[in-house]
Structure formats: C-alpha cells, structure tokens
Amino acid sequence: MCIMHANHVLVLAGSVRPARRSLAIANWVAGMAGGISGPAFRVVDILDLGLGLGDEPGMAALGGYTRPTTCAWSEMVTAAAGVTIVTPQYNWGYPAPLKNAIDHLYHEWRDKPVLVITYGSRGGDKCAAQLKQVLGGMHVRLCEAMPGLMLARARIEADDGQVEPAIDFAAQAGEVTEALEALVASTSGA
Ligand SMILES: Cc1cc2nc3c(=O)[nH]c(=O)nc-3n(C[C@H](O)[C@H](O)[C@H](O)COP(=O)(O)O)c2cc1C
C-alpha cells in the first residue's frame, strides 16, 4: 500500500436509512474542508459501495477478496490519503452498515489517518467511543479530536431527513474545522 501520492480524503457517510442525515452532514463537512489547503475531500455513500452483508467467504485480514465490490472498496481506501467518518449514534453504538464496510477490509486501514465525526442528541460520544476501540484494532492513525455534533431533539423527533448543518451545528463549526486541519496535517506526515 502506498499513500505517498494520494491527493484526496474520503468522507464516509455512516448511515443508509431512507431518511438519513449523514449524507447532508458529510457534504457539509467536505465543504468545510474545501477551505483548508491540502487534499480534496470526496464524499462516499456506503450504499454506492454495493457491499453485501458479510459477503466475502474469507477473512479480510488474510486477503484474497472474491467480490469486485470489495476490491473496489479496497482500492478506494488504499488510494486515499485519509478517511473522515461521519456517523450518527445508533442505540449507543454506530450503524451496522458502517461496521460492515469497515470489516470488509483490514490491511488497508493500517496507519490510515482517520477522523471520526459523530452526531446525536448529545453529540454521539458513545458511538465515538465504540469506533475508537474498533479502529484501534485496525491500527488506524486516529485523530485525537472527535467532534460530536449536537442534533436538536426536535430534529430527531421529526425524523424527516432534514438538517441544515451550517445552522444546526454553527456553534461547532470551528471545532470541526480544527479537527479537519489536524487530519490534513496527519495526511502530510503519512
Ligand atoms: C436506530 C436508531 C437509533 C438511535 N439511537 C440514538 C442514540 O443512541 N442516541 C442519539 O442521540 N440518537 C439516536 N438516534 C437518533 C439519531 O441521532 C437521529 O435519528 C439521526 O438523524 C440518525 O442519523 P441518520 O439520520 O443519518 O440515520 C437513533 C436513531 C435511530 C434510527
């Protein structure tokens, strides 16, 4: 794996529900990153990866992928200078499709600079803690700051997929920018 010449960072939207907010929030994060000099940020929808649920016959850690979708995902992560994961908290954890996408690979994650941004009524700190543990097992280079975006209770109860990140998370925009800057700095040291 070689990331020396990688010039983009993936922004992985962590949820796949029809009424999800992760894509809108991931797009906002990528837009914020646009103001930072460094690699381009590219939003990735887990649904577009077309990964089956645990559809590889073998363990990722042993290599030998059989599915074209896994190979494409592997190449995508390998080529990226870093990954930003934007994910909601689901029942104190994180969405199953995100775990499925992570577990489809293994070696590709090693030393990959990764930033985790969560959201939930209290920012999704329990989700962040679980991801920290799992990504530690994949030996990523995890950014210390893990911004937790506070999603208003009214938004959650409306469950209509609506979100205006620039307004809803205005108070945390600076924190997100700082975390993105740290990620970009980490990619240049890769
Ligand atoms: C299955 C499920 C579990 C949830 N669990 C939590 C939770 O533990 N904490 C929280 O703050 N919000 C929780 N929520 C509310 C989410 O923060 C909110 O619905 C958010 O928009 C979900 O992200 P998504 O729209 O991208 O799917 C949960 C939502 C769903 C669908």
Side-chain angles (χ1 to χ4, degrees):
M1 167 178 1
C2 175
I3 59 175
M4 295 293 287
H5 304 292
N7 62 357
H8 66 278
V9 169
L10 305 179
V11 183
L12 189 58
S15 61
V16 302
R17 298 187 309 139
R20 63 184 157 163
R21 297 186 166 100
S22 61
L23 265 185
I25 299 173
N27 278 315
W28 173 70
V29 167
M32 303 265 290
I36 301 168
S37 117
F41 280 61
R42 173 182 158 203
V43 173
V44 175
D45 182 347
I46 287 180
L47 280 180
D48 288 342
L49 300 177
L51 299 169
L53 189 58
D55 60 351
E56 281 290 346
M59 282 174 63
L62 301 179
Y65 303 135
T66 64
R67 310 281 172 181
T69 44
T70 311
C71 295
W73 175 223
S74 166
E75 285 166 18
M76 208 183 285
V77 172
T78 298
V83 179
T84 299
I85 297 175
V86 176
T87 182
Q89 177 166 305
Y90 277 4
N91 299 319
W92 291 23
Y94 52 93
L98 174 58
K99 178 76 162 125
N100 186 54
I102 292 170
D103 289 346
H104 262 76
L105 309 181
Y106 185 76
H107 298 288
E108 297 84 344
W109 292 114
R110 182 173 284 274
D111 292 330
K112 188 69 62 180
V114 175
L115 168 64
V116 170
I117 298 176
T118 60
Y119 55 96
S121 64
R122 294 180 188 172
D125 59 325
K126 291 187 166 58
C127 161
Q130 288 200 0
L131 264 177
K132 183 176 182 178
Q133 177 169 312
V134 167
L135 294 171
M138 316 301 276
H139 309 288
V140 309
R141 198 168 340 140
L142 188 63
C143 291
E144 197 178 328
M146 295 192 287
L149 304 172
M150 310 286 274
L151 189 60
R153 178 58 63 186
R155 284 275 194 223
I156 292 175
E157 286 170 3
D159 197 22
D160 55 4
Q162 297 299 307
V163 64
E164 293 185 74
I167 296 170
D168 292 4
F169 308 133
Q172 294 177 276
E175 187 189 342
V176 170
T177 301
E178 277 177 28
L180 288 166
E181 286 169 347
L183 175 67
V184 168
S186 169
T187 64
S188 61

